[in-house]
Amino acid sequence: MAYVAVKGGEEAILNSHGLVAEDRRGDPAVPELTVRQIAEQFGLAVDRVMCEGSVYDRELAALALKQAQGDAVEAIFLLRAFRTTLPRLAVSNALDTARMAIQRRVSATFKDIPGGQILGSTYEYTHRLLDFDHLDIVDCDKPKAKVADDPLDPTFPRAFESISDEDLIEAELPEPDQSPVFDLTRDPLAMPAGRDQRLQNLARGDEGFVVGLAYSALRGYGAAHPYVGETRVGDVTIEILPEELGFCVSIGDIIVTECQMLDFFGGSEDEPARFTRGYGLSFGKSERKAMAMAIVDRSLRCREYGEEAKYPVQDEEFVLSHTDNLEAAGFVSHLTLPHYVDFQGDLQFIRQLREEHNRRRSSKEAAE
């Protein structure tokens, strides 16, 4: 079926919606993807949409991906828009990642760590070759990995606790601070930004942009020489403290990825040399995002250690003002909207400049 250009704004828009629906469905002879299939089998894409969409709901994130034809940024837009319609019932306590039910836990700083390295599910040691077996759908039981003989310890000490007594690594927790935590989902970004704002911004930021910033820091456009102190993936419990009860209650578990980067600090007049920290945390299994976030976090802390901020990744205003993929995509995409008046104005200005240039050129040639 062929479509022709349709005159009239409303009719054209409605017809465009029909075209989108056709593109989304694809060949009707091919079975339609269900939201549950996307949630179960496109898990990493769902995790990204949840993280950058600021809503932990696998079904909604999968629905957004289906509606957006797999476009992650469009799906994130849909999820954030839906988020604005939701009431806020409570504010949870801070996550206790030390009590995480571990699925994966690795450290690049020590060969042996308390509790042991837990490889878990990762693409790090796959061959990165196309597996053509996936071209065929075979009804079979879900592949199962070997089950450990003994259950994992429910709590794991930090990988670098063994040297914590030597004060060689910056303390994990800051001094107690009762000031309210900034909420970036309710209030606009304010400069200069505290670390609470920066971490929220990076957690919601576009993964590609944050990874690119981290990469720039590693390649020399920044002072980063980090080590993965520890990366954890697992379930954490969400707790709230209802005023009418006076004690904490659990409202469910979510999967998160946490990364702590250690970066060399040579010391100053006031501070001895030690390793400093960068921190990253994201919804779901989003290890690349959490690692990049931790690198950028440490880069943005440069002024705390008297380091010169001379690279883009250390420029707080540059980084925080450009991480949001919805703002970036919207600004780029708006260029497809009518700009007739602006263009005609620039066109007229260029004609005027060319006339002046030709007059000067003619005058110069006549004088010669």
Side-chain angles (χ1 to χ4, degrees), residues 178-338:
Q178 300 302 320
S179 60
V181 176
F182 191 91
D183 188 345
L184 195 58
T185 66
R186 290 189 165 188
D187 299 307
L189 188 68
M191 301 290 181
R195 198 178 181 204
D196 53 350
Q197 289 188 65
R198 298 201 302 261
L199 289 173
Q200 289 177 57
N201 178 286
L202 294 174
R204 286 160 49 97
D206 181 77
E207 179 177 318
F209 185 73
V210 176
V211 170
L213 287 170
Y215 183 46
S216 74
L218 298 176
R219 289 192 66 246
Y221 294 90
H225 305 282
Y227 300 90
V228 176
E230 184 177 30
T231 294
R232 293 180 171 213
V233 180
D235 298 85
V236 292
T237 299
I238 303 292
E239 294 182 339
I240 62 172
L241 178 60
E243 293 183 4
E244 60 273 20
L245 294 181
F247 57 85
C248 294
V249 295
S250 170
I251 60 172
D253 294 341
I254 63 173
I255 297 176
V256 299
T257 301
E258 179 189 53
C259 177
Q260 297 210 38
M261 286 282 181
L262 302 181
D263 205 327
F264 180 84
F265 172 62
S268 64
E269 292 184 2
D270 302 320
E271 295 286 339
R274 60 163 59 96
F275 283 103
T276 55
R277 299 180 190 239
Y279 185 77
L281 186 134
S282 55
F283 284 160
K285 298 178 181 179
S286 308
E287 191 168 316
R288 180 172 54 228
K289 172 66 174 293
M291 291 174 64
M293 179 181 169
I295 294 170
V296 177
D297 170 51
R298 173 56 183 88
S299 297
L300 290 174
R301 300 181 67 198
C302 58
R303 288 185 176 85
E304 295 180 32
Y305 305 104
E307 300 165 348
E308 182 182 2
K310 57 181 180 179
Y311 299 105
V313 71
Q314 297 171 313
D315 187 324
E316 178 180 87
E317 188 167 352
F318 170 77
V319 171
L320 301 185
S321 298
H322 296 95
T323 52
D324 195 280
N325 51 34
L326 302 191
E327 293 184 3
F331 204 83
V332 171
S333 297
H334 101 283
L335 297 175
T336 63
L337 300 176

